Amino acid sequence: MNALMKKFTHRMKPMFEQLGQWWEKRVGTHLTRLGHRLTHNKVLDVSHTRWRVFNRVNIPITNRLREASVGYLFVLIWIIGYLIFALYPIFYSLYLSFFNVRLDGASINLTFVGMGNYRAAFLEDPFFIEILIDYGISMLLNVPVTIVFALIIAMLINQDVKGKGVWRTIFFLPVIISSGPVIGELMAQGATTLPSLEEFGFVQLVLNNLSEFFANPIQTLFDSILLVLWFAGIQILILLAGLQKINREVYEAAQIDGASPWEAFWKITLPSIMSLVNVVIIYTIVSMSVFSLNPVIIYVRNIMLGPSTPSILTGLGYSATLAWVFFLLMSLIILLFVGVVSLRIRKVS
Amino acid sequence: MRYRAMVKEAYLGLKAKDADRVKVHLRRLLLGMKMTDGLVFKVFIYTLLVSLAYVYLFPMLFMISNSLMTFNDIISANVRWIPSSLHWDNYRLVWEQINFPRALRDGLILAGLPALAATFSSGLIGYGFARYNFPLKKLFFVLMLMTFIVPPQITMLPTFRMYARFNLLGSIRAFIFPAILGQGFNGAIFILIFYSFFKMIPKSLDESAQLDGASPLKIFTRIALPLAVPAIIIVFLFSFVWYYNETNLTGLFLRGSEMSTLPLRIEQFFNEFTSIFPEGSPGREMMQSARLAGNLLAILPLLVLYFFTQRHFVESIDKTGITGE
């Protein structure tokens, strides 16, 4: 395989070289000339420290301005994309949340109801608040478990274990499976529950021996532990990629200075991958929340598409309202977790 | 008598010394020089890895074994894991019905090109956010996060209408254009991944390159990108997998076109299958095994792709000569 690749690249090399020469001779020079024309003329004259417009107005180019403009150039494609593709759907749904929407064939009938939908969501809807509270509690339980678990796995694979490729491939399985239709298939056939976990009877043991106050969270945790495991795939890989960027020499130096592995974890590993931990937190919360089997999502979908909803609440408008309330709650949870983790890390280091 | 006592003493002393040595050896063997290279730790690691791998492999093994079973095997109480005979008909059925080579080609194109576009654009954007300060940066960042957090179910309808107006529906353009502008599936998380990777690179590297006269683009391509190889790989992989596996949106955007992804085709096939063979009719019993076979065929290319790319998760390449940090 590798030999084949080498042969291939060897063959391709002269072609690319020729292409490069052609580009430099035929296109590159013209482009440079064009660029020079564009930046040195009467309308616009660019030099290192100032821009001169119409031979009259001088704009001094400070370091800050230069940095800002280069930054904007990098982000420009995102801004354009946001304006074209994201702005309209997001704010259209926000707009709809203030309306009573009825679809008659292709046309949409809007009646303005102000905050009516939001009032209905909090005061009149019999299920929504309850579902939201359940959701919040399950997030508070599942997110830390998922992240700690993912971090442990990532660190394990990052050790000198035999057969790294095989392990990495196995732990990539959940990424492939949980993002596609396969997970639904497996759940339907009962392959995502582990028979041995139930055969152990551990959960039953806990239920029998502890008071309800302690036993309930443990039971929910065990019910969802497989889901948590299945949702940790992406996090494991993100953290693994981060861990691999930490220089091994730093650990060696710390060890010589007498740091225990435990201290090294808190003082080297965690601070180095802190920003990735934040990414992972955000990803975990969002992916668990917008997962199509999440009760909130099912509820919102049923209101949006389902036939079995109360007539006053029918429609896109109300489902958009619910989705935005849900969005706000999600943002709050994200802020909470990111805030707590950042504070804790600052305290330790 | 004295001589005997002396020998005994010497023998005991030797034994004690030996025992000490054995103890030290044993201890070193079990616990290692530092905590992480001893036998105890190794056993612990491998036990954890194997038991977790079991959790992930269990459904795969279930799929593999059940997809090779005949209906008799599935309902039989004697057959749990190993089919009585390898029954490849399920695979043959799915392979022929969905025209696997063609579907695979379509699926690879439909996932590969947008994934490349998304990797390219999110790399640029993430670098911009991580390395430069500009007015309104925080606002843009929050808006970007928002595109990720807002549940897609709610923006699906307006998005669909908008794509219809732009005439993007029914072709691969519906995926490439948003991806190249940083708005593909889960685009924000890719930007975030690149963002945090570029944040991890020490800023003094850029500064020294800048002092040597490198332009911002050159710093990006020559310094930042090579240091972010793991990020490039995972972003490409994730985005490939997500484009490949996405069925809801892809089905919506590609309705009425010739192209279709592998999972989508399999789903279509089984919808037809259920309508031809309703519940209880002969032929229906093939369904369960065939479904599993189909799903395995669908994820097989991803596994192969991953197995060949994961080795490029290079070990720390950050061994740059920065001192005094």
Side-chain angles (χ1 to χ4, degrees):
Chain A
M1 190 73 201
N2 268 348
L4 211 72
M5 279 303 284
K6 237 174 223 167
K7 217 170 169 185
F8 181 71
T9 44
H10 195 70
R11 283 270 176 78
M12 295 309 270
K13 221 172 174 183
M15 207 187 97
F16 278 117
E17 267 166 18
Q18 267 184 9
L19 209 70
Q21 277 169 11
W22 172 82
W23 176 269
E24 243 162 58
K25 258 189 200 157
R26 291 293 163 87
V27 189
T29 42
H30 292 293
L31 277 182
T32 336
R33 207 172 292 161
L34 185 74
H36 187 81
R37 230 4 111 59
L38 278 175
T39 48
H40 297 80
N41 52 33
K42 272 179 191 162
V43 183
L44 179 73
D45 187 21
V46 176
S47 76
H48 282 294
T49 49
R50 55 129 186 77
W51 283 30
R52 200 174 163 84
V53 187
F54 291 118
N55 263 341
R56 214 148 278 176
V57 192
N58 275 326
I59 306 168
I61 303 292
T62 55
N63 251 343
R64 217 162 134 209
L65 192 62
R66 195 175 291 137
E67 196 190 332
S69 55
V70 174
Y72 267 115
L73 278 183
F74 273 111
V75 187
L76 189 67
I77 44 174
W78 181 82
I79 297 174
I80 295 172
Y82 185 79
L83 293 178
I84 297 177
F85 288 113
L87 189 68
Y88 168 73
I90 288 180
F91 286 95
Y92 186 68
S93 81
L94 183 62
Y95 171 79
L96 281 187
S97 73
F98 296 103
F99 287 86
N100 209 345
V101 184
R102 252 164 237 289
L103 291 172
D104 293 333
S107 70
I108 296 179
N109 288 328
L110 297 177
T111 355
F112 185 69
V113 288
M115 297 301 283
N117 281 335
Y118 287 88
R119 209 172 301 131
F122 283 107
L123 301 178
E124 291 163 31
D125 196 314
F127 308 111
F128 186 58
I129 293 300
E130 204 177 316
I131 295 177
L132 268 193
I133 290 173
D134 278 356
Y135 157 79
I137 292 172
S138 78
M139 280 293 115
L140 290 183
L141 274 174
N142 285 345
V143 170
V145 174
T146 312
I147 289 166
V148 169
F149 170 76
L151 191 57
I152 291 173
I153 297 288
M155 285 171 58
L156 285 185
I157 309 180
N158 201 35
Q159 298 286 334
D160 290 323
V161 287
K162 296 242 154 54
K164 274 188 174 184
V166 177
W167 293 121
R168 281 189 201 139
T169 310
I170 290 174
F171 288 100
F172 187 63
L173 278 176
V175 178
I176 295 177
I177 290 175
S178 68
S179 70
V182 182
I183 186 90
E185 191 73 34
L186 288 173
M187 277 180 170
Q189 307 220 7
T192 47
T193 53
L194 278 186
S196 45
L197 208 65
E198 275 151 38
E199 279 161 23
F200 266 149
F202 179 75
V203 176
Q204 207 50 46
L205 191 81
V206 169
L207 279 183
N208 291 341
N209 289 322
L210 286 174
S211 70
E212 206 173 277
F213 181 76
F214 289 110
N216 272 351
I218 293 180
Q219 194 194 7
T220 22
L221 204 66
F222 264 85
D223 283 349
S224 56
I225 195 120
L226 284 161
L227 208 61
V228 165
L229 290 180
W230 280 106
F231 269 106
I234 303 236
Q235 289 85 326
I236 292 174
L237 286 183
I238 294 178
L239 291 174
L240 180 63
L243 286 175
Q244 280 179 337
K245 268 187 64 63
I246 303 175
N247 199 338
R248 293 259 158 131
E249 286 160 18
V250 180
Y251 287 107
E252 277 159 30
Q255 200 201 330
I256 289 167
D257 286 349
S260 67
W262 179 250
E263 279 171 318
F265 169 75
W266 285 101
K267 302 247 160 108
I268 301 171
T269 314
L270 213 50
S272 315
I273 56 167
M274 203 47 231
S275 53
L276 280 174
V277 171
N278 283 336
V279 173
V280 162
I281 289 174
I282 295 173
Y283 179 78
T284 310
I285 295 174
V286 173
S287 68
M288 281 185 174
S289 305
V290 304
F291 181 50
S292 56
L293 296 180
N294 185 308
V296 187
I297 291 293
I298 292 176
Y299 187 68
V300 172
R301 264 184 85 96
N302 281 345
I303 285 183
M304 188 160 73
L305 308 167
S308 61
T309 45
S311 60
I312 325 159
L313 303 178
T314 306
L316 275 174
Y318 188 61
S319 64
T321 309
L322 295 187
W324 276 90
V325 173
F326 182 46
F327 163 78
L328 286 179
L329 181 67
M330 248 156 90
S331 315
L332 271 181
I333 293 177
I334 290 176
L335 276 181
L336 181 80
F337 272 109
V338 171
V340 165
V341 169
S342 317
L343 275 183
R344 172 109 200 103
I345 293 306
R346 206 165 295 155
K347 220 184 197 173
V348 168
S349 53
Chain B
M1 208 61 192
R2 256 171 77 197
Y3 170 72
R4 250 182 145 181
M6 253 168 71
V7 167
K8 199 176 173 189
E9 207 169 289
Y11 175 72
L12 280 180
L14 204 69
K15 210 171 160 191
K17 233 184 233 165
D18 247 12
D20 266 0
R21 209 184 283 156
V22 168
K23 228 187 235 167
V24 167
H25 268 286
L26 209 69
R27 195 159 160 193
R28 197 162 284 171
L29 187 71
L30 287 179
L31 298 175
M33 293 294 279
K34 41 184 179 172
M35 197 185 97
T36 51
D37 59 357
L39 195 66
V40 174
F41 189 72
K42 286 249 156 76
V43 169
F44 173 71
I45 283 188
Y46 283 109
T47 329
L48 251 180
L49 279 179
V50 167
S51 49
L52 288 166
Y54 169 69
V55 173
Y56 290 139
L57 281 177
F58 177 78
M60 285 300 287
L61 295 177
F62 175 86
M63 277 166 82
I64 293 172
S65 84
N66 277 29
S67 67
L68 288 171
M69 285 181 188
T70 57
F71 183 64
N72 287 334
D73 280 352
I74 288 184
I75 51 170
S76 154
N78 296 330
V79 181
R80 180 108 192 259
W81 280 104
I82 301 161
S84 54
S85 66
L86 293 184
H87 184 70
W88 292 102
D89 280 4
N90 299 318
Y91 286 92
R92 202 170 299 135
L93 176 80
V94 178
W95 182 287
E96 278 164 11
Q97 286 302 318
I98 64 169
N99 189 0
F100 186 80
R102 167 95 211 265
L104 179 68
R105 201 198 67 200
D106 276 7
L108 291 184
I109 292 174
L110 272 175
L113 291 181
L116 274 181
T119 314
F120 171 76
S121 63
S122 48
L124 279 178
I125 297 161
Y127 186 72
F129 275 122
R131 283 314 214 201
Y132 293 97
N133 279 317
F134 43 87
L136 298 181
K137 178 173 149 177
K138 292 221 165 100
L139 175 76
F140 288 148
F141 208 74
V142 169
L143 286 178
M144 182 192 74
L145 282 181
M146 222 167 121
T147 58
F148 183 52
I149 303 175
V150 170
Q153 286 87 351
I154 209 67
T155 53
M156 209 152 90
L157 193 78
T159 309
F160 182 69
R161 282 169 39 136
M162 187 176 66
Y163 281 20
R165 205 176 305 151
F166 291 159
N167 202 12
L168 291 176
L169 291 180
S171 80
I172 194 174
R173 280 173 299 166
F175 304 101
I176 288 194
F177 285 154
I180 201 129
L181 294 172
Q183 310 289 339
F185 293 154
N186 295 339
I189 204 73
F190 299 141
I191 297 174
L192 270 184
I193 290 176
F194 272 117
Y195 171 83
S196 38
F197 261 88
F198 289 133
K199 276 264 169 192
M200 281 167 78
I201 301 172
K203 210 152 193 181
S204 43
L205 260 184
D206 291 28
E207 279 155 12
S208 55
Q210 210 179 346
L211 284 180
D212 289 346
S215 69
L217 197 66
K218 200 153 232 171
I219 296 177
F220 175 64
T221 52
R222 292 289 162 82
I223 291 174
L225 279 189
L227 291 179
V229 172
I232 297 173
I233 289 175
I234 55 172
V235 165
F236 177 74
L237 275 176
F238 288 170
S239 130
F240 189 90
V241 169
W242 279 328
Y243 273 107
Y244 186 92
N245 267 341
E246 173 63 55
T247 45
N248 284 336
L249 286 174
T250 312
L252 199 65
F253 291 163
L254 286 181
R255 192 177 290 162
S257 86
E258 284 284 293
M259 285 186 113
S260 160
T261 62
L262 214 50
L264 211 60
R265 235 170 234 267
I266 287 167
E267 212 173 86
Q268 263 166 17
F269 164 58
F270 283 110
N271 286 341
E272 283 165 27
F273 194 94
T274 25
S275 60
I276 297 171
F277 301 105
E279 200 75 55
S281 68
R284 169 80 179 192
E285 59 265 28
M286 284 197 72
M287 178 89 168
Q288 196 192 356
S289 298
R291 275 196 100 112
L292 292 175
N295 280 324
L296 264 182
L297 279 180
I299 61 174
L300 200 63
L302 294 177
L303 281 179
V304 173
L305 172 84
Y306 182 72
F307 194 77
F308 282 109
T309 40
Q310 55 84 18
R311 62 181 68 177
H312 294 285
F313 265 105
V314 270
E315 310 284 308
S316 152
I317 33 172
D318 256 354
K319 289 180 180 153
T320 42
I322 297 170
T323 48
E325 286 260 315

